[in-house]
Amino acid sequence: MEREGTFDSLLELEDNFYQEGYKLGVEDGSRAGRVEGRLLGLEKGFEKYVTMGQYHGNVSVWQARVSSDIPLQFENKIKQEHLLPPLSSNPRLEKHLQTLYALVEPASLPTQNTEEGVSEVDDRLKRAGAKAKVIETIIDGNKHSEQLPADVISKTSSDKQKLDSSDKNKMSKPIGNATKIDEF
C-alpha cells in the first residue's frame, strides 16, 4: 500500500502542471484582454469622432456658402481664386443643415464610455451620414439646375410631360419576366 502513495504525486504531476498553467493563463489573458480591449475601444472611438468632425466641417462650409451675401465686386475674385461659389437659398436645404449641425455639434456629443453613450454616438453618426447624403443630393441638384439656362429647363420639363403612355410602350420590350428599356 505504501508504494501506491509514493506514485500518487507522480501521477498527479501532469494535472498539477495543467492547473497551474491554466491559472497563469487566465490571469495573463485577463490583463492582456483589458489592454487590447481598451486600445480597440480608443481606436474605434477615435474613428467615429473623426467622422463626426468631418461632418461638422462639411456643415460649417455649407452653412457659410448658403448664408453668404457676396457683393458683385467679389464675384470675379471668387472665379479667379477658385473659391467655392455661394449656394442658392433653399428653406429645405437650410432645415437639413440645421439638423445635421445639431447631430454633429461637438459640445453635445457624449464622451462617457457607457452603453448609452456609445449607442447615442453610433445612432447620431448613422443619422448624420444619411443627412449629409440628402444635403449633397440637394446641392448637386442645385448645381445642375444653375448650370442650365432657364429655357432649357422649361423645355426639358415640358418634353417630359409630352411623353405619353404609347411612347413608353415603344421604348420598353418585354424579355421573359423582365423588361428591357432601350436607351435613346
Side-chain angles (χ1 to χ4, degrees), residues 137-148:
T137 303
I138 293 171
I139 290 173
D140 286 343
N142 287 344
K143 180 174 36 173
H144 294 302
S145 66
E146 289 172 357
Q147 292 174 349
L148 294 175

Side-chain angles (χ1 to χ4, degrees), residues 144-158:
H144 294 302
S145 66
E146 289 172 357
Q147 292 174 349
L148 294 175
D151 61 330
V152 173
I153 294 172
S154 63
K155 186 176 181 181
T156 56
S157 62
S158 65

